[in-house]
Amino acid sequence: MRKLIKILDVDIDRVNLEQAVERVRELIVDHNRPSLVVTPNSEMLALAAEDRELARILNSADLATADGIGVVIASKIMREPLQERVAGFDLISLLFQEMAEADINFYFLGGKPGIVDQAAANLKEKYPALNISGYHHGYLDQEKQEKVISEINEKNIDLLLVGMGVPLQEKFLDNNLEKLNVGAAVTVGGSFDVLAGEVKRAPLWMQKAALEWFYRLLQEPSRFGRILSLPKFIFLVIKSEYFS
C-alpha cells in the first residue's frame, strides 16, 4: 500500500530514490494498464493550487516523487518529514543505470528538435546496451502526435519519458495515456536538455546543500520568475497548515 503525504491537496509518495526505482520496476512488470509517474516540485505544486485540472492529473498518478528541496521543506513544516528529495533526473538516471542490461524498451518524447536526438546518443555512448527504441521532439501538431502515438504502440515500449514542460507534459499524458501501449510514462521536465549536454547540472555539493536552484539561475537568468514560485509555495503551505 502506498504511503502518502498530501501537500496543497496533491498526494506525494513517501519514498526514497531506491524505493521509487523499485516502484517503477513494479509498474512495468505488473501493469495491466499504462501507469503514470510524476515528479512534482514546488513550482508545480504552486501551479496545481490554482490549476485544478493539473492537481487532478497529479493525483491520478501511480507514483509521485518529491522533486525539489521545497517539497521536503513543506513536509517538515507539516511535521511529516519526507526521507529525501527524489528528483526526476536522479530517478531516470538510476533507471538507466539499473536497466541498461535489462530487456526494457525506452522511448523519449520531448525537448526541442535535435535535443532529444543528442540525449539518446549520449546515453547510448554511456550505456551501449540501453534499449532506446525511439525518440521524437516535443513540438507536435495533431498529425505528428498521431504518428508518434502509432510509432510508440508499434514498439511495445516499457518506459516512455515525456519532457514537454509543466503542465503540457502532464496534460498530454492525461489526454493520451490510455491510447498508449506502454508500461509506464514518466514526466521528466527539462531532463533531455541535461542529458544532451545543453544544460549542466549543479555540482553534487550544491545539490546536497539545496542550492541547485541557484546554479540553474546562474545558467539561465530568465528562470528568475520561476524561482519566485518557491517562496510563494512555502507561503501557501504555511497558510494551509496553520491558517485554514
Side-chain angles (χ1 to χ4, degrees), residues 188-200:
V188 300
S191 293
F192 294 139
D193 291 327
V194 181
L195 293 170
E198 290 294 305
V199 174
K200 290 185 178 180

Side-chain angles (χ1 to χ4, degrees), residues 107-119:
Y107 192 100
F108 299 165
L109 176 60
K112 297 177 182 177
I115 293 296
V116 71
D117 313 55
Q118 188 60 53

Side-chain angles (χ1 to χ4, degrees), residues 140-184:
L140 305 176
D141 55 23
Q142 189 61 38
E143 182 180 351
K144 287 181 180 177
Q145 179 173 300
E146 292 174 0
K147 181 179 178 181
V148 166
I149 290 173
S150 178
E151 179 183 356
I152 291 170
N153 289 339
E154 289 172 2
K155 293 178 180 292
N156 294 315
I157 299 301
D158 296 297
L159 268 177
L160 169 65
L161 307 188
V162 181
M164 297 177 173
V166 179
L168 182 58
Q169 60 194 10
E170 288 78 17
K171 294 185 178 181
F172 170 83
L173 286 172
D174 186 56
N175 290 329
N176 295 291
L177 190 58
E178 292 301 324
K179 305 174 189 175
L180 291 165
N181 179 25
V182 301

Side-chain angles (χ1 to χ4, degrees), residues 57-183:
I57 296 169
L58 296 177
N59 281 328
S60 74
D62 300 274
L63 174 65
T65 70
D67 183 344
I69 192 63
V71 184
V72 176
I73 292 172
S75 73
K76 293 178 179 178
I77 291 172
M78 298 170 64
R79 300 180 295 280
E80 298 183 58
L82 292 163
Q83 297 180 53
E84 62 182 7
R85 65 180 288 232
V86 181
F89 188 84
D90 293 333
L91 175 60
I92 62 172
S93 295
L94 192 53
L95 287 168
F96 294 143
Q97 180 182 321
E98 295 199 357
M99 297 182 175
E101 303 291 336
D103 186 22
I104 299 294
N105 297 325
F106 286 84
Y107 192 100
F108 299 165
L109 176 60
K112 297 177 182 177
I115 293 296
V116 71
D117 313 55
Q118 188 60 53
N122 290 349
L123 279 168
K124 287 294 288 183
E125 184 176 347
K126 185 174 183 179
Y127 302 112
L130 188 66
N131 191 355
I132 302 174
S133 296
Y135 49 82
H136 197 284
H137 63 74
Y139 290 75
L140 305 176
D141 55 23
Q142 189 61 38
E143 182 180 351
K144 287 181 180 177
Q145 179 173 300
E146 292 174 0
K147 181 179 178 181
V148 166
I149 290 173
S150 178
E151 179 183 356
I152 291 170
N153 289 339
E154 289 172 2
K155 293 178 180 292
N156 294 315
I157 299 301
D158 296 297
L159 268 177
L160 169 65
L161 307 188
V162 181
M164 297 177 173
V166 179
L168 182 58
Q169 60 194 10
E170 288 78 17
K171 294 185 178 181
F172 170 83
L173 286 172
D174 186 56
N175 290 329
N176 295 291
L177 190 58
E178 292 301 324
K179 305 174 189 175
L180 291 165
N181 179 25
V182 301

